[in-house]
Amino acid sequence: MPDQLLANYQALIYKTLNRLGISKNHCYYDDYYQELSLKLLALADSFQGDPLGEDRFRFTAYVQKGLYWYLLDLLKARPLKHEIAVEEIMTVKESLAQPDSRMASHHRLMAFYGAVDRHLDESDRQLFYLLADSSFSMTEIAELLGISRKTLYKRKAKLQDQLGFYKFLLKEG
C-alpha cells in the first residue's frame, strides 16, 4: 500500500515543492522530496478513511495542507542564507550571462545584482532575492523568514531606500 500511495499522490509532493519555490536544481531538493514522501505516508496512517478509495478527494485536500505546512516548517528550520545567497544568486548570474539579443539589458541587470551583492548584508540579500522571485507571495515570504507581514513591509521599504541609489544601473543610456 505505501508504494501505491506514493504513486497515486506523488504529484502532490511535486506541487508542494513547486509552491514553496523548491526546484529540481535546489541543493536540498532530494532531501525535501524524501521528507515529504515520509510525511505523506504518516498522513495516510492518521487519516480516517480510505485514501485510495471513496475518500480520495478528502484525503487529497488533507494531504495538500499537511505537506505544505510540514515543508514550511522544514524551510523555517533550515537557514536560508546558503540556499539563497549561493545557489540562487549564481543561477541568476549564470542565466544573465548567456548571450542574448538583449545583451545590454543583461549587463545592466548584472551590474545591479553585483551592487546588491556588495551593498546588502546577508539577511537583506535574502529578502531582496525572495522579493524578486515572483513565485512567492508576501505572506509566504513572511512565513519563510519567520516575521510578521507588517515587519516584512517595513523591511521592504527600507530595502527600497537602500537600493534607490543603484536604480541608475537599470536605466538605458
Side-chain angles (χ1 to χ4, degrees):
M1 182 161 157
D3 291 336
Q4 194 176 12
L5 274 169
L6 290 173
N8 285 353
Y9 295 103
Q10 183 180 36
L12 291 177
I13 294 172
Y14 292 129
K15 180 180 179 180
T16 303
L17 289 165
N18 185 43
R19 186 174 173 202
L20 289 173
I22 309 297
S23 65
K24 287 190 178 193
N25 62 353
H26 191 282
C27 59
Y28 296 118
Y29 179 84
D30 292 331
D31 295 338
Y32 289 139
Y33 179 85
Q34 289 298 322
E35 289 284 344
L36 291 179
S37 297
L38 294 172
K39 184 64 175 178
L40 177 87
L41 296 175
L43 289 168
D45 286 341
S46 66
F47 182 68
Q48 304 276 326
D50 181 14
L52 297 172
E54 62 188 41
D55 298 319
R56 69 184 184 278
F57 296 114
R58 195 167 53 91
F59 179 71
T60 299
Y62 174 71
V63 167
Q64 269 184 312
K65 284 188 178 193
L67 292 178
Y68 175 80
W69 289 108
Y70 182 70
L71 182 56
L72 202 56
D73 288 340
L74 289 175
L75 291 171
K76 285 180 187 177
R78 184 165 279 171
L80 287 175
K81 62 182 170 188
H82 296 297
E83 294 172 20
I84 295 170
V86 175
E87 182 186 82
E88 297 295 331
I89 293 171
M90 294 312 293
T91 302
V92 168
K93 286 182 179 178
E94 287 169 4
S95 68
L96 291 174
Q98 299 300 317
D100 192 81
S101 62
R102 298 171 290 185
M103 187 59 87
S105 297
H106 287 298
H107 287 298
R108 287 192 304 277
L109 200 50
M110 286 178 65
F112 181 74
Y113 280 118
V116 166
D117 290 345
R118 287 187 304 277
H119 182 74
L120 299 178
D121 64 19
E122 187 62 34
S123 75
D124 286 339
R125 260 196 310 274
Q126 286 178 357
L127 177 60
F128 173 79
Y129 285 107
L130 282 170
L131 290 168
D133 185 350
S134 62
S135 65
F136 289 106
S137 71
M138 294 299 275
T139 302
E140 290 171 331
I141 293 171
E143 288 172 354
L144 282 171
L145 296 175
I147 59 176
S148 69
R149 284 176 42 117
K150 184 176 180 178
T151 302
L152 176 61
Y153 281 104
K154 285 180 182 178
R155 285 189 59 196
K156 180 182 173 187
K158 180 183 161 208
L159 190 62
Q160 287 173 324
D161 289 342
Q162 287 178 305
L163 296 176
F165 175 75
Y166 296 103
K167 283 184 182 178
F168 76 92
L169 293 172
L170 297 173
K171 296 187 179 181
E172 290 187 45

